[in-house]
Amino acid sequence: MNYQIAPLWFYSGKIFLLVVLAIGLAFFGINAPIFYFLLVGLVIPVGISVRLHQLKEKSLVVIPKELSQWTVYVQGIPVQENRSVLTNPCFAIQTHLQAFFFRAFMLKGLIQAATLLMLIVQLFHTTNPWVLPIGLFVAVWLVLKCIETGKILVAVARQTWSLEEVTSETGTSWYRAGFSKQEQPTTALERLLAL
């Protein structure tokens, strides 16, 4: 059973530190990290979720159902609830799978590059000497994220990612994708929705 007493971003120390740095930089006129977290942390997941729902209604995608039991504290009272977890989708056609993830990772890469450019311009115009090292730290982090997304795009374009064929109960074949990051397999959806 999972327990939630805080928002999900605060479960990771790195993400919490980056969110605090982004909020701190926003006080000095550097708001590019805030835009990044809003777009990649909120807009992209909602957009991906809506698009997968549309594809599911057209019977082009099957999303395996997975329920997770949570205990959420509401004003100190424990409330148990079941949540449906968005899992790695299975596509009917391999080319649709590749096109979906290529477009999604391309959008994410463009957002990362635009945010990095925006951050560099904002750092160039800053006059506060304390903001520059923190902003450069965030810029290096964004460069690493852009490189990671670029590697994923190359893997998707060259089809060097891992494809898995799943057979349903009715005997139809579906395809889903994943990656191996540092010898640990992750699903394509997890990598897409990661900050």
Side-chain angles (χ1 to χ4, degrees):
M1 178 142 329
N2 299 310
Y3 294 90
Q4 181 177 351
I5 55 174
L8 295 177
W9 281 7
F10 297 110
Y11 286 141
S12 170
K14 290 187 294 186
I15 300 298
F16 179 72
L17 174 67
L18 288 169
V19 168
V20 168
L21 287 178
I23 292 171
L25 286 173
F27 284 115
F28 296 101
I30 313 265
N31 53 12
I34 293 285
F35 285 128
Y36 175 79
F37 283 119
L38 286 176
L39 291 174
V40 175
L42 185 66
V43 174
I44 286 181
V46 170
I48 294 295
S49 197
V50 167
R51 182 65 182 143
L52 285 175
H53 181 71
Q54 290 171 346
L55 292 173
K56 183 180 175 184
E57 286 180 344
K58 294 177 183 177
S59 298
L60 297 173
V61 170
V62 170
I63 301 173
K65 295 203 185 257
E66 186 176 315
L67 291 177
S68 177
Q69 292 185 342
W70 287 77
T71 300
V72 180
Y73 290 95
V74 179
Q75 297 178 356
I77 301 169
V79 177
Q80 292 190 4
E81 63 181 34
N82 290 327
R83 295 183 184 177
S84 180
V85 179
L86 183 61
T87 58
N88 202 25
C90 299
F91 284 76
I93 303 169
Q94 285 186 15
T95 55
H96 290 176
L97 171 73
Q98 182 182 8
F100 175 81
F101 280 108
F102 187 80
R103 288 184 196 128
F105 279 113
M106 181 64 76
L107 176 66
K108 184 176 179 179
L110 288 174
I111 289 172
Q112 289 171 337
T115 305
L116 179 62
L117 182 63
M118 183 178 170
L119 178 64
I120 290 171
V121 168
Q122 289 175 348
L123 287 176
F124 183 73
H125 293 297
T126 188
T127 57
N128 191 331
W130 293 99
V131 172
L132 193 60
I134 297 170
L136 288 176
F137 172 76
V138 174
V140 168
W141 180 77
L142 274 173
V143 166
L144 294 174
K145 288 296 181 181
C146 286
I147 291 171
E148 181 181 329
T149 304
K151 288 179 182 178
I152 291 172
L153 275 171
V154 169
V156 172
R158 293 184 181 169
Q159 296 185 1
T160 56
W161 55 355
S162 61
L163 282 176
E164 180 183 359
E165 186 175 348
V166 179
T167 306
S168 68
E169 295 172 358
T170 60
T172 57
S173 294
W174 297 87
Y175 303 95
R176 64 179 167 196
F179 298 96
S180 55
K181 182 180 177 181
Q182 298 164 349
E183 301 193 16
Q184 190 170 28
T186 58
T187 65
L189 189 67
E190 281 180 58
R191 295 291 293 272
L192 178 61
L193 299 181
L195 286 177

